[in-house]
Amino acid sequence: SAAGGHVAVCDPSYEQCGPDGTCCDPLGNTGCGSGRSCLLVVPDSGTGRSRTVCEFSVGNGRDGASCTTARDCMLANTCVNGRCWRVCSEALPCPSDLSCIPHGSEFGYCS
């Protein structure tokens, strides 16, 4: 830090979706505290449930833009295989020319 000390930075924890989960809503950007944004991240490999995280910052990538993590993408988008894609669900499907590919059991991405 500027004062000569060390600064530790930690990623916020992921929250599992589903009946026993406490995830935020990446489509409505609700369920996070003030100044934080809800992003869809990699699904839980054990349960198959979608997972979200309340991030402090988001990017501006969408519809095929290059990304490393979900925080490189704009709100209501996620990073899958190095590209940003729009998040979808049964309640908010993709445009008619795209399919909602599952990204866990609660959310997916439009491709």
Side-chain angles (χ1 to χ4, degrees), residues 14-98:
Y14 295 168
E15 298 294 334
Q16 181 173 280
C17 300
D20 57 344
T22 57
C23 75
C24 56
D25 179 2
L27 290 168
N29 192 32
T30 59
C32 294
S34 178
R36 296 177 80 181
S37 302
C38 182
L39 300 176
L40 180 65
V41 294
V42 177
D44 186 283
S45 61
T47 65
R49 298 273 187 202
S50 297
R51 291 188 306 171
T52 60
V53 63
C54 290
E55 278 288 356
F56 292 99
S57 66
V58 296
N60 59 4
R62 64 176 171 174
D63 299 334
S66 180
C67 59
T68 303
T69 68
R71 72 177 146 247
D72 296 331
C73 305
M74 65 188 298
L75 289 176
N77 283 255
T78 191
C79 185
V80 179
N81 298 325
R83 299 281 175 210
C84 293
W85 301 109
R86 181 176 159 184
V87 175
C88 55
S89 69
E90 282 186 27
L92 192 62
C94 300
S96 60
D97 59 331
L98 299 173

